[in-house]
Amino acid sequence: MTSTSTSSPGESPASSSAASSTNTAAATSTNTAADWWRSAVVYQVYPRAFTDSTGSGVGDLAGIRSRIPYLASLGVDAVWMSPFYPSALADGGYDVDDYRAVDPRLGTLDDFDGIVTDAHAAGLKVIVDIVPNHSSDRHEWFTAALAAGVGSAERARYVFRRGRGANAELPPTEWTSLFGGSAWQAVGDGDWYLHLFAPEQPDFDWSNREVRDEFLRTLRFWSDRGVDGFRIDVAHGLAKDLSEPLPVGPPLPRKHDGSDPLWDRDDVHEIFEEWRTVLNEYDPPRSAVAEAWVPAERRVLYARPTELGQAFNFDLLESPWTAEAFREIIGRNLDEAAQSGASSTWVLSNHDVVRHASRYGLPNGTLLDPWLIAAGATPGENRTLGLRRARAATLLMLALPGSAYLYQGEELGLPEVADLPAEVLQDPIWQRTGGIRKGRDGARIPLPWTSTGPSYGFGPAASELPQPAWFAALSVEAQEADPHSTLALYRSALALRRSMDAAATMRFVNCAHTEVLHLVRSDGWESVTNFSLDWVPLPVGTLALSSRPVGEGILPPNTTAWLRSV
Ligand code: GLC
């Protein structure tokens, strides 16, 4: 065995905490440091599908608050809540009516404050979602823009343009929305407004100073309430080149050099530099993570210390299940993070993609993009294989330097619910593509907490999005009784991770088998993943944890083991 690439994420020192022998480790040295976010494990809650305290069929803030002991026992460092703001739910809450309020169906600001208080008492940080590319069409600014009419200052906060044709009956350009259909909506007086997502999500014009100031107010509002960090939705979309005349044709293939008219423009970074000065007004400075679906070399720009600090790295999420692909992605991302001073982030699942336990059950384990899935497609999923690989992938991810983002339910090994009937689908992708694409509802089914009850412990009544009967066997209750469950694996892994040195670096070790990925951390921890179908020798070391039972010195296929160097 010879060592190859060495990667350091440039972590600033954070003392390692003592090995935790219980599942309830709370405030750790990592969590109290100002740069806690660099190595944090963050748990994403999709509020409407987490816990329903009232029986409305929809999850709420009191429900989230009631689960804080569960999150602490899981061993995560922070909870990120997807939008809980007032919304007509045209896009699952990413159509925000009011950025500084709570949807009355989900609770009140007092309920929110209760979450912050309890989370902090349990040693958990709180991250909220900011949606700056667009508001909802019910936002008071948008209502005012419609009322104020053509050429008004109110319309200048959004992107309004005259339609083409003798009666302005054609959209200003042929640009298409990411959810399907035209990206323009007529308002009846010759003006059309831009919506890169659903028509209920009008895009802001970020060259307008009022828009910029409004979001600085929102950052301060939540920071003042004790929020520790922010997740920035569609961060790569805010800056746009809307200079006249707009190119009428459909958007050309995206340019990745900062000069694309709509995405990932160089001038977006001045917006986030301004945000950073606001986030740094707080002690400790508030953290931020960009959602930016851009190439790795562009992603690090958002994650510079002078901007957001982190940007989701979706490369693993999009990767095929091969040692070579994982090795290349991990090495490259750690190198890039080290160069930019950012912290690397790792993600395998979120509310926008097919859950990784299902992706890995596909023949080649590649991304099954729910934005593109044809309705009725039967992907030929192998659930046993999918879960086996998902557990192995998670253990590998949690051994990497940097921070990791988990999506609610992945700790239960939940697969996608692929067979939802058409009449319950809520994702605008389904509607906007005329039922051609299925959308993301299958990853947003309310969690099963118990094995019985009208919604398996999600709430006192049935849930709005129906749960399948097989959720019973995957419930928290069922898994708590099983020491080999996926929940038990996550708890053990997160407890062990607390004993790792957040400042550690890692290197890969070449293995005889090309489908085995063996990494050695500078703090004496090792992780070895067997991507192959062969049984391979386990490297020498003390076995601490494995994603599947390991034989005498033998690592089974699709398995990760954690070792302590001897
Ligand atoms: C982000 C969100 C996604 C939403 C979109 C538009 O990608 O994660 O759920 O539909 O932005 O806001």
Side-chain angles (χ1 to χ4, degrees), residues 7 40 66 74 89 138 173 179 183 186 188 197 227 247 256 279 295 317 325 397 428 461 501 537 557 565:
S7 299
S66 73
L74 188 58
L89 303 184
R138 308 194 316 173
T173 73
F179 289 157
F197 294 89
V227 155
H256 296 296
L279 301 175
L317 181 157
M397 172 175 79
D501 181 358
S565 309

Side-chain angles (χ1 to χ4, degrees), residues 372-396:
L372 300 175
I373 284 181
T378 45
E381 177 185 341
N382 175 336
R383 281 222 178 131
T384 307
L385 179 65
L387 181 58
R388 206 168 266 173
R389 286 174 170 171
R391 290 167 58 121
T394 298
L395 223 49
L396 167 53

Side-chain angles (χ1 to χ4, degrees), residues 111-302:
D111 293 326
F112 178 83
D113 293 342
I115 291 177
V116 174
T117 303
D118 287 9
H120 285 170
L124 299 172
K125 306 290 187 190
V126 177
I127 295 173
V128 299
D129 221 308
I130 300 290
V131 188
N133 181 65
H134 43 262
S135 69
S136 85
D137 60 351
R138 308 194 316 173
H139 190 283
E140 64 172 5
W141 273 11
F142 193 73
T143 319
L146 292 185
V150 177
S152 60
E154 287 83 352
R155 285 200 181 178
R157 295 163 175 156
Y158 294 90
V159 183
F160 280 86
R161 290 289 183 279
R162 299 304 287 171
R164 287 173 299 134
N167 301 309
E169 72 281 9
L170 294 172
T173 73
E174 291 173 26
W175 299 349
T176 50
S177 135
L178 263 65
F179 289 157
S182 170
W184 296 97
Q185 179 71 38
V187 298
D189 55 16
D191 260 6
W192 296 61
Y193 67 85
L194 180 71
H195 59 88
L196 292 179
F197 294 89
E200 295 87 351
Q201 294 168 296
D203 281 41
F204 282 116
D205 184 341
W206 273 85
S207 67
N208 186 316
R209 188 66 240 175
E210 280 188 88
V211 172
R212 295 195 181 205
D213 289 341
E214 177 67 3
F215 276 91
L216 299 183
R217 267 194 293 279
T218 295
L219 292 175
R220 288 195 178 101
F221 177 86
W222 293 109
S223 297
D224 289 343
R225 294 197 99 86
V227 155
D228 303 282
F230 298 93
R231 179 262 188 192
I232 316 304
D233 192 66
V234 196
H236 57 313
L238 310 194
K240 299 179 178 80
D241 177 8
L242 298 163
S243 43
E244 300 287 351
L246 293 179
V248 169
L252 299 167
R254 274 190 210 179
K255 289 189 266 181
H256 296 296
D257 60 0
S259 68
D260 189 89
L262 295 178
W263 300 104
D264 189 28
R265 293 180 54 73
D266 282 340
D267 45 347
V268 78
H269 296 290
E270 64 197 49
I271 296 171
F272 296 128
E273 282 168 6
E274 197 174 19
W275 285 28
R276 175 45 60 196
T277 60
V278 170
L279 301 175
N280 284 353
E281 287 168 5
Y282 292 86
D283 182 22
R286 299 325 193 210
S287 72
V289 56
E291 185 216 24
W293 294 84
V294 297
E297 67 278 9
R298 302 279 308 166
R299 178 193 311 134
V300 292
L301 304 178
Y302 296 80

Side-chain angles (χ1 to χ4, degrees), residues 299-321:
R299 178 193 311 134
V300 292
L301 304 178
Y302 296 80
R304 287 178 287 201
T306 48
E307 297 189 32
L308 299 175
Q310 279 192 328
F312 288 127
N313 163 6
F314 295 124
D315 295 353
L316 282 186
L317 181 157
E318 294 184 303
S319 172
W321 179 249

Side-chain angles (χ1 to χ4, degrees), residues 324-552:
E324 191 191 352
F326 270 62
R327 180 188 179 120
E328 192 277 323
I329 287 168
I330 294 166
R332 179 164 40 80
N333 278 283
L334 290 179
D335 286 346
E336 272 162 7
Q339 280 163 26
S340 74
S343 142
S344 206
T345 67
W346 310 104
V347 189
L348 290 169
S349 277
N350 66 29
H351 65 296
D352 286 330
V353 300
V354 171
R355 286 180 173 279
H356 64 286
S358 285
R359 288 200 316 268
Y360 292 137
L362 299 173
N364 59 359
T366 49
L367 178 74
L368 183 60
D369 187 342
W371 297 53
L372 300 175
I373 284 181
T378 45
E381 177 185 341
N382 175 336
R383 281 222 178 131
T384 307
L385 179 65
L387 181 58
R388 206 168 266 173
R389 286 174 170 171
R391 290 167 58 121
T394 298
L395 223 49
L396 167 53
M397 172 175 79
L398 292 176
L400 299 176
S403 82
Y405 285 78
L406 310 180
Y407 176 52
Q408 67 175 41
E410 69 166 82
E411 77 278 21
L412 306 177
L414 284 190
E416 191 82 359
V417 178
D419 53 359
L420 289 169
E423 60 275 13
V424 303
L425 294 179
Q426 299 177 347
D427 191 336
I429 293 175
W430 164 256
Q431 287 292 337
R432 299 271 303 161
T433 62
I436 291 172
R437 294 184 193 165
K438 201 165 164 57
R440 300 158 291 176
D441 295 307
R444 302 172 177 184
I445 304 300
L447 290 197
W449 294 92
T450 57
S451 302
T452 55
S455 53
Y456 304 112
F458 167 67
S463 59
E464 205 176 86
L465 266 178
Q467 301 155 300
W470 48 263
F471 259 33
L474 295 175
S475 71
V476 172
E477 180 184 47
Q479 299 204 27
E480 268 177 337
D482 175 5
H484 303 296
S485 67
T486 303
L487 178 58
L489 178 72
Y490 270 69
R491 282 187 169 149
S492 301
L494 292 168
L496 287 174
R497 189 180 149 103
R498 284 172 183 271
S499 66
M500 296 178 184
D501 181 358
T505 56
M506 58 146 275
R507 65 191 168 83
F508 288 118
V509 175
N510 274 348
C511 299
H513 200 304
T514 52
E515 277 302 289
V516 174
L517 197 60
H518 181 185
L519 65 90
V520 176
R521 294 171 51 105
S522 58
D523 56 2
W525 282 94
E526 300 185 28
S527 173
V528 52
T529 303
N530 178 7
F531 289 76
S532 79
L533 294 177
D534 303 325
W535 295 70
V536 300
L538 195 59
V540 179
T542 308
L543 181 68
L545 187 65
S546 59
S547 62
R548 211 184 145 195
V550 165
E552 277 287 302

